[in-house]
Amino acid sequence: MMDHPVHVRAWHRFLGCLLPALLLAGGAMVGCDSVAPAPPERIVAEAFLTTGDSMPEVRLRRTRPLNAPLPTDGSGSALVDASVTLTIDGTPYPFTAVGDDGRYTAGAAVPLPPGSRFSFEAQWNGHTATAEGTLPPPVTLDSFRVSVPEAPIQAVLFDSVFVDPTQLDSLQLDSLRTGAEDGFAYPIEVQFWWTEPADRAYWIRTRLRPAIEAGSSLDDFFLRPEQVQQEADATCPAAEDCPPAVRSWIGVYGVPVEDDTAALPPHSVQLALIRGDEPYARFAATRDDPPRREPISNVDGGLGIVTGIALDTVRVEVN
Amino acid sequence: MLLVVGTAGLPGSVAAQELHINATDVPLRTALDEVRQQAGINLVFADRLVEAAPRVSCLYRGTDAAAALACVLSGTNLRANETRTGQFVLVATEAEGPEPPPLRASMAGFVTDAVSGEVLPGAHVYVASLERGTVTNEAGYFALPALPVGPYRARVSYVGYAPEDTVLTAGAPVTLLALQPQEVQAEALQVDARRSERSDLAVLPGVVSTPTRELEQLPSFSGESDLFQALQWMPGIQRAGELTGGLVVRGGQSDHNLYLLDGAPVYHPWHAFNVVSTFQTETFKNMSLYRDAFPAEHGGRLSAVLDAEMRDGSQAALQGVAALSLLSGRVVLEGPLRDDLSFMVAARRSYIDQIAGSRHPVEQGGVRDTLRTGYFFYDLSAKTTYRPSTQHRLSLSYYGGGDHLDLRLPFDLSLDFSSWLRPADLFFELDHNWGNQLISARHQYLPSDRFFVTTTAYASGYRARERSLIRPSEVSTITSAYDVRLWDLGAKVDVDFYASLDHQVRTGLRVRRHLFDSTLDAELQRSPRAVETLEEDSQARAYELTAYAQDTWTPGPRWTIQPGIRFSYFSGGRHAHVRPRLNARYVALPGLLSVKAGGGLHVQYLHRLRDRSTFLYDLVSSRWIPSDEEVRPSTSRHVSAGLELQPLPWLRLGVEGYARRARHILIPRDELQRPAGLNGGGIDTGALLGQYAPGESRAYGLELLATADLGAWQLRATYHGGRSKSRSRGLGEESFRPTRFDVPRALRATVQRETDRWIWGLSTEWRNGYPTTVPEARFVLGDVLDDEPTRFLHRPEVNNGRLPTYWRTDLSLGYRFGMLGAPARVQLNLFNVFGRRNIVSRQYDPAPEAGVTVRNRRGFPLLPLFELHVEL
């Protein structure tokens, strides 16, 4: 056997100990993370304090495990034994549960003037959820115009179970099917006008909600039935001569029909105009993709939305 | 008696002779005769001096007759004086009386490839009698200063080349040393202890520096000669996607890497939607990838710097390579234009558009249309090098490359292609092109044998042009014109000063001008009156000034210590940083074990961001945002340490640990956000930054590397265990969570065997799946305008789960043959040979009543790919 110098033997001993230790460390220090156990149930609060109205109804629910049934009527997730307080301009108002679907009311008709500061607190099972905000100035849909084309136009229609364009496999590459086909539809234009308050720090949500049968539809991707934007950006079209404080928005929704001779199916459409603060705008802009993400909450210690809004809606019959 | 022995050869031809002296313990006369015959010189000497001299040994290869004589006379008391060209007189050294104080001078030279004449950066020159070595710089130059004048036995070695034992003379003019390339083939391959190591970088931990010839042996998707795909076989380096995506180095972000081509930065080094890179291995003579520990001359990024040098072009003969793969065809040509001028030209282009056609005229019912299905990418590289003397060397490099996507298609696509071929009333058109262009001029100047000055000036540009026209109905039209332009104009001077045997100083200065422009001009006509117009532009300008100094200190034969410091100033926001770094190597057991450690600080002034909300623009572009008063530069600090062992001549083992902490990085505010519509935040920098939040990250890990070089067999196995986590307090994150490409464990292995005719290889990659965000609960929430509330999935934490393990095995089989008298090779690559459908992303949908529906996106199945490769 070869006789190594002392320092070589020392290094060999060092390596003999160090290397196995490094290998063990390499495996151990990087242990895989795994999905955490199911989190404790959290409070889900829902309340829209509307300027000019009286105290709103508060809905309290809780999160449920993934495999638990979750009917949308609230059964199974409603919280009926929570302590709820809404404070308006420093005055607390206790809320009490009504029914078994998680609804809470103040029991008194308290008006909600614009500019009121509010804070919300709900306690349940050791959890506390809070939110706060300010009620915006009222909003009124001053006027609107609905424009219907005389005949349907050719348009690309999408299967109603279509696709997430960002997911390659959902494009069904085996068949290259995109879920699109050419069809016919009536694009309905609706224009709103309203007046902006002096305080221009608000956001506006505008929405057209037609009552038409589901099925193939003109995909919203190319239309604009809804929009959330800063109110100052809702300017009148260039061709119009609007007064300085007047804001405008043009929305479009589509009504698919069988062919180019079909008449427009009579239906109604709800026009909605909501003024709110930035937390409400974030909530409204992120609630349209339930599979991918949940709406951004403004509730500390819980989920949901408790916010002040100003709202005006109109239902229009379209023939 | 004086003897004059000579040849009839002309003295003028002496210098051109290739000498190969291999004498072992022979009489001096015999060795002198050998030199005389090979060199064609005249020798004059006293017979008694030669007969009284001891027996000699000498191994010399080169062209310098004086050096060859010094080699054979080494160990005797004789030396050779050249009296006129081609004639040498041997004299006794002690006959000259009292020895004067020894004169001191440098031993200096250039190391080159004996076949092509390419200079070899990083070659090792070791003088055993001094127990000192040095390495060549990027021009292949080395210097050992302040040595007593005289001959020294030296060993010159370089990765992939046969080491050369020679005699170098301190005080002699700058020498040219030519190394013979080793054949990386079959049984001819020699085992070389330094085969995978570039000596000049050995002091830095985390460096991957490999000659092109070795990189070409590593498996590459589709046979493309692709640097980035080869790098994936190194530990701690992975692609963000299965075949696409940027490089993730030790858990860093892909925009934390700097890619340099002949000293100029490349801002978007990708083609084909990030499938292949713009870096073709065949066009480079050398590349170095620094992970965490950069030399002081490099900086501006937090994770890694890739420094690639284009080939100067062969000085010997016209030669080249032509290849055809499934993706592209390419050709590389190089050769001499004159004795002092060489060139290299390379071109590559994808050709699927040429086969499938890119324009399709159609007619139906008297209506004509032209559908378009065009896509191609291309590269053009060129370099010319002029060497008027050993003092001067000028090179001019050009790279231009890009992608062009040109589509006009109906919406209702299907596999029945004939159904497309009709005039499309409703259609979408995309006309996107993007790419890089750079030009770099470099002057290398040797004012004295102790100073080497490299001056580089470059202009590097990136531009992307996105044009979209969508007609989803008769009354709606969407048009968009989006442009991104980036220019980086720079000049730098690097000076190598060979101060002493113990100290080699490198210092430099760099000035850069950054110009960023982007414009968006879009019109969204959703109906006759619902028209939105977007006209935005964004501009940013900044200067960057950098100065650095670094000393490579060799206090003894076993220690190398490299302290460095780098100062940088960025005019945007007036940020100034001083970033120190320190690296060291200790050779514990020469030839067996060395230990390395390093640490330092880095700063990055540029951030690559994209609008994550829209389909209208930012689809193929890279957009860089400079730091300013609002956006702080990202900073990092790192430490790393490792061991390198060579327990057997054919086996190398490496272990390295690292840790890095970065601050002020930008993290998406909503990791789950994907483009969902046409409206985006706009291209205003503030709007873009609004989608991100400042955060911090940390990464640590351990890397193991084993390479076995058994002649025809080549084995390489790497293991990486580590974590990469981040958090943003601005997003309410108190604890760190896994980053998007955090991979706790990854194992990769390749086995290759080459014979004269056949090459086959098997490679496999096993790693943990990427993190994914798994919902943990469900809830119901309503909206003021809705009658029915909506079910949502609750994801309290980002990246709280992990996709299933990724495992893929590729097989390659190559065959060498002659084609029209030229060596050729055909290769078949089977990507994912077992057809394992790895899950590469996952989506969760809330089921109507209970539970969730999991939708998996799977990776590529088995793909057979080929390449034909011909040497011209």
Side-chain angles (χ1 to χ4, degrees):
Chain A
M1 182 177 165
M2 209 189 245
D3 216 10
H4 292 294
V6 172
H7 78 278
V8 174
R9 289 200 301 274
W11 272 108
H12 284 174
R13 282 198 299 274
F14 169 70
L15 291 175
C17 298
L18 180 66
L19 281 182
L22 283 173
L23 292 173
L24 283 175
M29 68 190 271
V30 295
C32 260
D33 44 18
S34 56
V35 178
E41 292 175 322
R42 305 186 70 186
I43 299 172
V44 181
E46 176 190 324
F48 297 96
L49 288 76
T50 306
T51 299
D53 284 1
S54 60
M55 279 289 198
E57 195 174 77
V58 173
R59 292 294 289 259
L60 285 187
R61 306 181 183 94
R62 55 182 166 157
T63 57
R64 299 292 292 146
L66 288 177
N67 291 322
L70 190 67
T72 54
D73 62 5
S75 58
S77 65
L79 291 182
V80 296
D81 54 349
S83 167
V84 179
T85 305
L86 196 56
T87 302
I88 307 292
D89 287 332
T91 306
Y93 297 93
F95 276 53
T96 54
V98 291
D100 56 1
D101 57 357
R103 287 182 295 123
Y104 290 76
T105 57
V110 180
L112 298 173
S116 299
R117 292 283 306 164
F118 70 88
S119 62
F120 165 83
E121 181 177 292
Q123 293 182 335
W124 171 77
N125 201 21
H127 300 280
T128 301
T130 61
E132 61 182 17
T134 304
L135 271 78
V139 65
T140 304
L141 210 158
D142 296 334
S143 59
F144 64 87
R145 177 170 62 200
V146 179
S147 304
V148 181
E150 292 181 356
I153 51 117
Q154 192 179 9
V156 60
L157 306 181
F158 288 101
D159 192 308
S160 58
V161 292
F162 183 57
V163 268
D164 173 358
T166 63
Q167 295 290 316
L168 280 178
D169 67 335
S170 71
L171 291 174
Q172 301 177 46
L173 287 180
D174 293 344
S175 64
L176 265 182
R177 181 170 174 267
T178 59
E181 60 178 356
D182 291 357
F184 293 90
Y186 283 91
I188 314 287
E189 277 183 2
V190 181
Q191 184 171 10
F192 300 178
W193 289 269
W194 72 95
T195 305
E196 184 184 39
D199 180 359
R200 304 177 64 186
Y202 293 96
W203 290 70
I204 281 287
R205 177 184 176 192
T206 42
R207 189 168 96 159
L208 308 176
R209 191 175 169 219
I212 53 177
E213 289 184 8
S216 290
S217 66
L218 276 173
D219 192 79
D220 292 350
F221 191 81
F222 297 116
L223 303 176
R224 191 168 60 190
E226 182 170 2
Q227 190 170 8
V228 179
Q229 62 183 322
Q230 287 189 288
E231 190 165 7
D233 293 339
T235 54
C236 285
E240 293 182 10
D241 185 18
C242 292
V246 171
R247 298 285 153 195
S248 175
W249 177 74
I250 301 177
V252 187
Y253 68 94
V255 182
V257 293
E258 285 297 318
D259 53 44
D260 60 351
T261 61
L264 175 68
H267 64 279
S268 67
V269 58
Q270 182 197 51
L271 322 183
L273 177 65
I274 300 178
R275 177 178 290 144
D277 56 9
E278 189 173 343
Y280 174 72
R282 282 204 298 264
F283 163 81
T286 55
R287 60 179 305 283
D288 58 347
D289 194 2
R292 191 178 294 283
R293 61 179 179 182
E294 61 198 85
I296 295 175
S297 170
N298 74 333
V299 178
D300 290 333
L303 301 175
I305 182 77
V306 178
T307 187
I309 60 170
L311 167 68
D312 193 14
T313 61
V314 174
R315 180 157 293 279
V316 181
E317 295 297 325
V318 182
N319 297 305
Chain B
M1 181 177 72
L2 279 178
L3 292 181
V4 179
V5 289
T7 72
L10 293 173
S13 64
V14 169
Q17 292 281 1
E18 173 72 20
L19 307 178
H20 192 180
I21 309 299
N22 189 354
T24 306
D25 196 26
V26 298
L28 177 59
R29 183 186 294 275
T30 306
L32 290 171
D33 285 346
E34 186 67 27
V35 175
R36 179 183 56 77
Q37 287 175 8
Q38 290 194 28
I41 57 174
N42 293 326
L43 283 174
V44 179
F45 54 80
D47 199 26
R48 61 181 171 77
L49 291 179
V50 172
E51 288 177 356
R55 296 168 74 86
V56 296
S57 299
C58 168
L59 177 62
Y60 174 80
R61 176 177 286 170
T63 57
D64 188 344
L69 282 172
C71 177
V72 299
L73 294 174
S74 178
T76 71
N77 61 350
L78 301 176
R79 60 185 169 85
N81 290 339
E82 188 169 14
T83 54
R84 58 187 170 86
T85 304
Q87 179 166 301
F88 293 82
V89 177
L90 303 193
V91 295
T93 51
E94 65 266 69
E96 296 178 355
E99 194 74 28
L103 294 173
R104 290 189 174 269
S106 297
M107 176 197 295
F110 289 90
V111 180
T112 62
D113 179 309
V115 175
S116 67
E118 288 273 357
V119 296
L120 299 179
H124 196 211
V125 180
Y126 185 72
V127 181
S129 60
L130 302 173
E131 291 191 315
R132 284 289 192 279
T134 188
V135 291
T136 56
N137 67 7
E138 67 269 14
Y141 180 73
F142 71 92
L144 286 163
L147 294 178
V149 169
Y152 296 84
R153 289 176 183 275
R155 183 180 177 89
V156 185
S157 59
Y158 184 66
V159 190
Y161 287 76
E164 185 80 30
D165 291 307
T166 186
V167 172
L168 299 172
T169 305
V174 171
T175 311
L176 290 178
L177 296 168
L179 297 185
Q180 290 288 342
Q182 271 185 327
E183 287 299 317
V184 186
Q185 179 184 335
E187 283 69 24
L189 185 72
Q190 296 176 26
V191 175
D192 176 9
R194 297 187 170 276
R195 192 161 175 275
S196 298
E197 178 184 326
R198 237 189 76 178
S199 321
D200 59 328
L201 306 173
V203 68
L204 295 166
V207 172
V208 176
S209 183
T210 310
T212 305
R213 286 150 32 92
E214 281 204 4
L215 284 173
E216 287 171 357
Q217 306 304 310
L218 293 172
S220 176
F221 168 69
S222 82
E224 288 288 312
S225 132
D226 192 300
L227 178 58
F228 288 11
Q229 295 200 33
L231 286 174
Q232 290 178 82
W233 298 103
M234 309 296 173
I237 301 174
Q238 67 197 44
R239 296 288 293 276
E242 186 178 36
L243 283 177
T244 64
L247 283 184
V248 178
V249 180
R250 288 182 167 176
Q253 296 177 192
S254 59
D255 70 330
H256 290 172
N257 306 328
L258 175 64
Y259 304 103
L260 294 173
L261 186 56
D262 279 11
V266 180
Y267 282 88
H268 185 85
W270 301 104
H271 285 309
F273 308 96
N274 295 10
V275 172
V276 296
S277 81
T278 57
F279 285 70
Q280 294 178 76
T281 48
E282 286 154 340
T283 62
F284 301 121
K285 61 180 170 188
N286 185 66
M287 82 87 206
S288 299
L289 177 71
Y290 307 95
R291 297 176 297 167
D292 288 332
F294 316 153
E297 68 185 280
H298 291 308
R301 295 293 188 278
L302 303 186
S303 286
V305 174
L306 176 75
D307 188 8
E309 284 283 322
M310 273 199 250
R311 299 172 66 86
D312 295 329
S314 172
Q315 298 171 47
L318 186 65
Q319 62 190 58
V321 168
L324 187 72
S325 74
L326 196 68
L327 280 183
S328 69
R330 64 185 189 275
V331 61
V332 181
L333 279 177
E334 58 180 313
L337 293 169
R338 294 189 327 214
D339 286 348
D340 55 1
L341 189 65
S342 62
F343 78 98
M344 187 278 296
V345 176
R348 174 171 69 165
R349 190 190 189 280
S350 64
Y351 57 85
I352 186 70
D353 59 314
Q354 299 297 313
I355 294 175
S358 56
R359 302 180 74 83
H360 312 277
V362 291
E363 181 175 358
Q364 190 175 58
V367 179
R368 291 183 178 180
D369 196 357
T370 300
L371 302 182
R372 306 197 298 269
T373 56
Y375 170 75
F376 66 90
F377 68 84
Y378 68 95
D379 294 294
L380 179 63
S381 309
K383 185 172 184 177
T384 182
T385 304
Y386 174 50
R387 309 167 193 81
S389 68
T390 52
Q391 273 71 44
H392 295 277
R393 176 189 179 88
L394 293 113
S395 61
L396 188 65
S397 312
Y398 169 81
Y399 169 79
D403 294 55
H404 192 110
L405 174 69
D406 185 22
L407 298 178
R408 179 184 164 95
L409 290 171
F411 283 95
D412 50 341
L413 304 178
S414 74
L415 271 186
D416 178 13
F417 295 109
S418 62
S419 70
W420 303 7
L421 299 179
R422 55 180 168 71
D425 298 319
L426 309 179
F427 59 86
F428 61 92
E429 280 187 10
L430 302 178
D431 180 9
H432 297 346
N433 57 70
W434 62 99
N436 306 282
Q437 213 167 22
L438 69 85
I439 187 164
S440 169
R442 182 170 283 176
H443 177 219
Q444 290 164 330
Y445 174 45
L446 187 63
S448 79
D449 54 20
R450 296 174 70 171
F451 282 93
F452 195 96
V453 182
T454 304
T455 307
T456 308
Y458 68 82
S460 175
Y462 164 76
R463 51 110 190 103
R465 176 180 177 274
E466 298 181 8
R467 298 287 182 273
S468 303
L469 169 61
I470 306 170
R471 193 163 169 79
S473 78
E474 287 178 68
V475 296
S476 53
T477 305
I478 315 291
T479 60
S480 170
Y482 175 58
D483 291 279
V484 175
R485 288 172 298 278
L486 181 160
W487 277 104
D488 186 336
L489 311 172
K492 63 174 182 171
V493 179
D494 302 293
V495 179
D496 290 306
F497 172 49
Y498 300 89
S500 69
L501 273 183
D502 294 345
H503 291 277
Q504 180 179 329
V505 177
R506 186 172 176 86
T507 184
L509 188 67
R510 169 183 290 186
V511 181
R512 298 169 75 177
R513 172 80 162 142
H514 300 280
L515 300 97
F516 306 89
D517 293 294
S518 53
T519 57
L520 173 65
D521 186 358
E523 185 176 272
L524 287 70
Q525 182 176 24
R526 299 169 191 270
S527 67
R529 296 184 61 253
V531 182
E532 282 175 86
T533 301
L534 299 171
E535 288 182 10
E536 298 181 24
D537 65 88
S538 170
Q539 282 191 344
R541 303 282 185 268
Y543 286 100
E544 187 177 347
L545 178 67
T546 307
Y548 73 89
Q550 173 182 286
D551 181 23
T552 302
W553 176 34
T554 314
R558 296 193 172 197
W559 279 100
T560 308
I561 300 170
Q562 198 176 69
I565 193 160
R566 181 181 174 91
F567 164 81
S568 59
Y569 170 77
F570 196 79
S571 65
R574 299 186 177 180
H575 298 285
H577 287 86
V578 177
R579 306 274 99 178
R581 50 199 74 175
L582 177 65
N583 301 293
R585 179 179 65 155
Y586 176 66
V587 180
L589 298 172
L592 175 63
L593 171 67
S594 61
V595 183
K596 298 176 186 180
L601 307 176
H602 298 311
V603 61
Q604 177 167 339
Y605 295 108
L606 306 179
H607 310 269
R608 192 179 66 207
L609 306 178
R610 72 182 318 153
D611 191 323
R612 299 161 56 82
S613 63
T614 178
F615 280 112
L616 190 63
Y617 55 88
D618 248 357
L619 300 177
V620 295
S621 309
S622 283
R623 193 164 165 218
W624 292 82
I625 304 296
S627 295
D628 56 21
E629 291 82 357
E630 313 267 318
V631 185
R632 299 180 66 170
S634 303
T635 58
S636 73
R637 56 192 180 202
H638 75 90
V639 292
S640 50
L643 303 174
E644 286 186 2
L645 296 96
Q646 189 160 16
L648 297 168
W650 50 269
L651 179 64
R652 294 181 72 244
L653 303 172
V655 182
E656 190 162 315
Y658 67 90
R660 180 178 63 242
R661 183 112 186 212
R663 300 177 64 203
H664 312 305
I665 62 171
L666 293 177
I667 296 175
R669 285 187 176 274
D670 184 355
E671 288 273 8
L672 302 174
Q673 183 177 27
R674 298 288 182 274
L678 294 172
N679 284 84
I683 64 169
D684 176 67
T685 304
L688 188 57
L689 288 168
Q691 298 183 32
Y692 294 82
E696 55 188 317
S697 69
R698 64 186 186 192
Y700 58 90
L702 190 70
E703 298 170 349
L704 308 178
L705 169 69
T707 58
D709 195 338
L710 296 166
W713 289 90
Q714 303 282 318
L715 292 89
R716 169 185 287 268
T718 67
Y719 170 78
H720 174 262
R723 300 306 304 266
S724 168
K725 297 187 173 186
S726 67
R727 73 173 173 191
S728 171
R729 291 186 187 277
L731 300 177
E733 294 176 331
E734 289 302 318
S735 58
F736 284 86
R737 43 93 169 171
T739 58
R740 191 174 164 204
F741 301 113
D742 170 52
V743 174
R745 296 186 185 93
L747 183 66
R748 299 187 186 100
T750 67
V751 181
Q752 283 185 299
R753 177 172 163 75
E754 292 190 35
T755 63
D756 289 342
R757 289 282 182 192
W758 294 94
I759 314 160
W760 69 262
L762 192 68
S763 51
T764 191
E765 177 183 5
W766 176 97
R767 63 166 168 80
N768 296 120
Y770 284 139
T772 186
T773 302
V774 181
E776 296 181 9
R778 304 201 308 166
F779 65 95
V780 167
L781 183 62
D783 175 57
V784 66
L785 295 177
D786 289 348
D787 303 327
E788 282 281 315
T790 306
R791 294 185 187 90
F792 292 97
L793 297 174
H794 178 43
R795 298 170 171 91
E797 291 181 52
V798 173
N799 294 339
N800 58 345
R802 195 165 287 283
L803 296 172
T805 298
Y806 181 94
W807 180 45
R808 193 189 82 234
T809 302
D810 304 339
L811 179 68
S812 63
L813 184 64
Y815 179 70
R816 290 195 182 92
F817 60 102
M819 192 167 82
L820 302 174
R825 186 186 76 225
V826 64
Q827 186 148 334
L828 175 68
N829 297 313
L830 296 177
F831 176 88
N832 195 6
V833 68
F834 298 127
R836 189 172 192 269
R837 299 301 303 277
N838 291 292
I839 296 172
V840 296
S841 73
R842 177 169 279 178
Q843 183 171 323
Y844 300 87
D845 292 341
E849 292 303 325
V852 293
T853 304
V854 177
R855 282 203 292 157
N856 291 321
R857 185 159 74 89
R858 295 185 180 274
F860 289 94
L862 186 151
L863 297 176
L865 309 157
F866 78 94
E867 186 197 38
L868 175 65
H869 185 279
V870 182
E871 291 181 25
L872 304 174

